[in-house]
Amino acid sequence: MSHALSGNGALRMSSKTDIETEARRLAGDSRVTDYDFWRSLKNLNNEIFALSARKAPIPLEMIRWRAIIKQARLKRGWSV
């Protein structure tokens, strides 16, 4: 995952507004390529699937980042 997508460990998003704000920030960041979005989303989906298949808990932060990346891609005009 690129540095811009890895986020800040201290950053905690707790609301839809925070997710939308972060998605808007990432969508406007020229350092993050469309490939970065695609690869990060694919990696997250694969990890979530693997956890689910093992019946392991899925960290909420993974769900949040998946929502952020999906929204950022949409803001750039890509489908999810």
Side-chain angles (χ1 to χ4, degrees):
M1 191 176 312
S2 79
H3 176 64
L5 290 179
S6 63
N8 177 347
L11 180 64
R12 293 284 183 211
M13 283 157 285
S14 60
S15 73
K16 184 176 178 179
T17 304
D18 293 334
I19 291 171
E20 290 173 2
T21 300
E22 189 66 18
R24 197 172 19 261
R25 183 188 70 78
L26 285 175
D29 190 337
S30 62
R31 297 173 298 168
V32 182
T33 66
D34 292 338
Y35 177 79
D36 290 332
F37 283 128
W38 176 82
R39 184 77 256 171
S40 296
L41 187 58
K42 184 149 180 77
N43 289 343
L44 277 168
N45 283 333
N46 288 342
E47 184 63 25
I48 289 168
F49 176 81
L51 288 169
S52 178
R54 293 191 312 260
K55 298 189 187 308
I58 299 169
L60 187 56
E61 201 63 21
M62 289 179 98
I63 303 299
R64 286 185 182 130
W65 276 108
R66 183 171 67 174
I68 290 167
I69 294 168
K70 281 183 176 183
Q71 284 191 27
R73 286 187 77 197
L74 287 172
K75 290 180 186 315
R76 281 209 180 164
W78 291 90
S79 63
V80 258

